[in-house]
Amino acid sequence: MSKGRDAVADALELLEEASRAFEKGMLLPKLFNHPGIFELEKERIFKHTWIFLAHESEIPRPGDYVVRYIVYDSFIVVRDDEGEIRVLLNTCRHRGMQVCRAEMGNASYFRCPYHGWTYKNNGELVGVPHFKRIYGERFDRSEWPLMAVPRVELHDGLIFVNLDAEAPSLKDYLGGAEWYFDFYTKKSRAGLEVMGAPHRWVVPADWKLGADNFIGDAYHTAFSHESTVKAGILFAENADFHLESPQWVTERAGGGLMQIPPGSYAGYPPSIVESWKQNLSPQQWKLVEELSIIPTHSTLFPNLSFLNAASIPNPEQVVPWLTIRVWRPLEPGKMELWSWFLVEKDAPEEFKRASRQSYVLSFGSSGTFEMDDAENWSSISRMARGELSRDLYLNYQMGLNHLEPIPDWPGPGRVYPIDYTEYAQRQFWKVWFEYMLEDS
Amino acid sequence: MRTSTISVSEEIYRQVREFLFYEAELLDEERFREWLELLTDDVEYLMPVRVTRDRGGGPGFLDDMFHYEENKYRLTKRIERLETGSAWAEDPPSRTRHVISNIRVAPGDRDDEVKVRSYLILYRTRGDDPRYDILSAERKDVLRQVDGEWKLARRVVHLDQATITTHNLSILF
Ligand code: FES
Ligand SMILES: [Fe+2]
């Protein structure tokens, strides 16, 4: 008990100091592995920000559900019998047992294994064994539904929740980032579909390292992933392919763009290129058509990231793929990585299969890029426990007082001419400090 | 279907067992080029994603999402990557031990093939970190005779975990 409180008191103190140092582009490594920081993150970040839980296509029919998490809270994301998407806390109102223990399925009712309280797939409590005899006539079942999360909003099929009833709308929260996300989500007339289920695996690394890497660390690609580029797995001239591409930064998101050979459309089939063009604004399409760049890596604060690139799963065959991922905090310095593969619903079947193979080769649990990332982030999280290492400030100054935003950029936010810069990462931490210092 | 160890000859059973033990040796000794030699050109190497289902919903292996969905080209690329001198996930290399048991062999769909099921306990440790990972799986293989030698034509790895507890799959099964 008191140990926990001490850790939080310690965290509050070091946050003040760390945020002052951060203004000079210096980051305290302790933040990657500290019990008090972790406690505060659960409360101050994950209870107030928009968290991605699932994609609409994972629950197409009434009764379809998937079980998802925010830190330790378990949620049933379900399409009820009326076709409405509900997000229900997966905790029984009687003694708190986890009601639904399968990861996915189809159900009209969820029955708690402990005493058999039964909830409809819209959360209503409809069955309490022997209830008249044991609770009496006045017991009102309608007062004990599965708790519905305060806010559920969709963006292009992505299902987000916010545990804070007072939070800004998802639209406001996105704040311009959707202009860049459109390139991922709007390629098809029919929308995206998740294939199968996400890869899930545990990485002894802090969740922020994934988010921080995906928002703006193009720089690591050249060195960390050199082997994969050298082996000819990625569709890129050389490992420095991010160097001359822009980096974008909005209030709560950021990412990088990637050059593609003019006219290649990153390898998307003609039918998809056509709908992609129609779905984007002329300003957006200008990037693809005239500048030959597309948004590739990005993060939406706090823990949702995207990646769209192309690999070579067979000789001479360039196949693009899209993944979205959630960095779920488990413990200080430990996360569970959830990596989804998505593809355009109306794409040719052969393309879908090849795109999945291209993704599996590159990202996800066995991905040849992802494996090096896991190695780096695990190491950083372990080092951040050292008495000296955890207090040794890290350099977050790349691009400071050195780069200016592109003046006539067609999209929202600030956009810097090269992706080897740390504006987006600094923005991630700026927002992180804002939430962490807010005593709500 | 019950596959009995006696549904093929003792001699074939012995050869299959030798093959699996030799293969494990190559993987554990990082002789990956030699391992590639054990694969047919049309090899399929799959590890489906597994999800937890209610009893009655089956074992939860998906047919449309995989941890590995490899052919010979992609497996070769993975090995080539290790040879570049900068494949950090495996440099320094993982130390692995493939323990193979419960081998069952049945006639294959073709005269020159057999179906093999085996259990795998895979121990993995890295660097000077005292932690280690243990993964367990059943492997469903098809071995084929090519020019008088057994080769692996197909492997489906059924992991016991739905959420994997090793930080990456930079190792082979
Ligand atoms: S805990 Fe769920 S019915 Fe008692
Ligand atoms: Fe990376």
Side-chain angles (χ1 to χ4, degrees), chain A residues 218-321:
Chain A
Y219 184 45
H220 85 292
T221 311
F223 201 76
S224 281
H225 301 306
E226 184 200 47
S227 61
T228 305
V229 179
K230 257 195 194 165
I233 291 172
L234 191 75
F235 180 49
E237 290 276 304
N238 61 60
D240 277 312
F241 61 92
H242 279 302
L243 180 56
E244 299 302 337
S245 312
Q247 181 175 92
W248 62 271
V249 187
T250 58
E251 184 56 35
R252 295 182 190 83
L257 296 107
M258 173 176 84
Q259 266 157 358
I260 51 172
S264 72
Y265 305 104
Y268 277 97
S271 63
I272 296 299
V273 174
E274 200 189 303
S275 47
W276 196 10
K277 180 178 176 175
Q278 277 172 12
N279 292 344
L280 294 185
S281 70
Q283 290 290 68
Q284 287 170 314
W285 189 248
K286 192 178 150 197
L287 266 53
V288 185
E289 194 70 66
E290 286 173 37
L291 306 176
S292 295
I293 48 175
I294 56 166
T296 169
H297 62 87
S298 58
T299 292
L300 174 68
F301 189 85
N303 67 335
L304 171 67
S305 295
F306 297 82
L307 188 61
N308 190 191
S311 302
I312 304 175
N314 289 299
E316 315 287 317
Q317 188 195 24
V318 174
V319 189
W321 43 266

Side-chain angles (χ1 to χ4, degrees), chain B residues 48-76:
Chain B
V49 166
R50 182 173 210 170
V51 295
T52 306
R53 300 268 201 193
D54 284 327
R55 190 175 290 283
F61 294 109
L62 304 181
D63 60 8
D64 58 352
M65 198 61 222
F66 302 87
H67 292 293
Y68 277 105
E69 187 180 6
E70 309 305 299
N71 58 10
K72 192 154 187 182
Y73 177 80
R74 293 193 286 282
L75 286 170
T76 307

Side-chain angles (χ1 to χ4, degrees), chain A residues 91-99 111-119 127 129 135:
Chain A
T91 303
C92 182
R93 299 299 304 276
H94 179 233
R95 282 294 179 281
M97 169 96 192
Q98 182 172 1
V99 177
R111 177 167 294 144
C112 177
Y114 200 1
H115 310 90
W117 283 27
T118 302
Y119 304 88
Y135 288 103

Side-chain angles (χ1 to χ4, degrees), chain A residues 23-36:
Chain A
E23 283 163 22
K24 290 178 267 166
M26 292 177 358
L27 190 81
L28 194 62
K30 229 184 222 174
L31 307 179
F32 291 122
N33 201 336
H34 188 287

Side-chain angles (χ1 to χ4, degrees), chain B residues 75-133:
Chain B
L75 286 170
T76 307
K77 284 292 161 190
R78 287 175 184 271
I79 304 307
E80 242 176 68
R81 191 190 98 88
L82 293 175
E83 296 165 345
T84 58
S86 54
W88 312 120
E90 283 300 322
D91 191 0
S94 298
R95 290 173 294 260
T96 61
R97 196 62 60 197
H98 289 71
V99 180
I100 316 291
S101 76
N102 301 51
I103 301 165
R104 287 143 296 161
V105 185
D109 294 336
R110 295 166 32 165
D111 284 350
D112 56 352
E113 289 182 353
V114 286
K115 289 181 183 165
V116 184
R117 297 199 290 162
S118 61
Y119 288 178
L120 167 69
I121 302 285
L122 176 48
Y123 170 94
R124 177 193 198 189
T125 180
R126 289 185 52 66
D128 60 356
D129 190 337
R131 288 175 298 187
Y132 54 83
D133 301 323

Side-chain angles (χ1 to χ4, degrees), chain A residues 49-56 77 85-87 149-174 300 304:
Chain A
T49 50
W50 284 96
I51 306 292
F52 171 80
L53 289 187
H55 188 264
E56 209 182 10
V77 183
I85 291 173
R86 309 253 178 186
V87 181
V149 302
R151 307 278 294 280
V152 182
E153 286 177 30
L154 269 74
H155 178 78
D156 273 349
L158 306 169
I159 304 168
F160 288 87
V161 299
N162 199 313
L163 306 183
D164 180 354
E166 310 296 315
S169 69
L170 177 60
K171 195 172 177 299
D172 288 349
Y173 187 87
L174 286 169
L300 174 68
L304 171 67

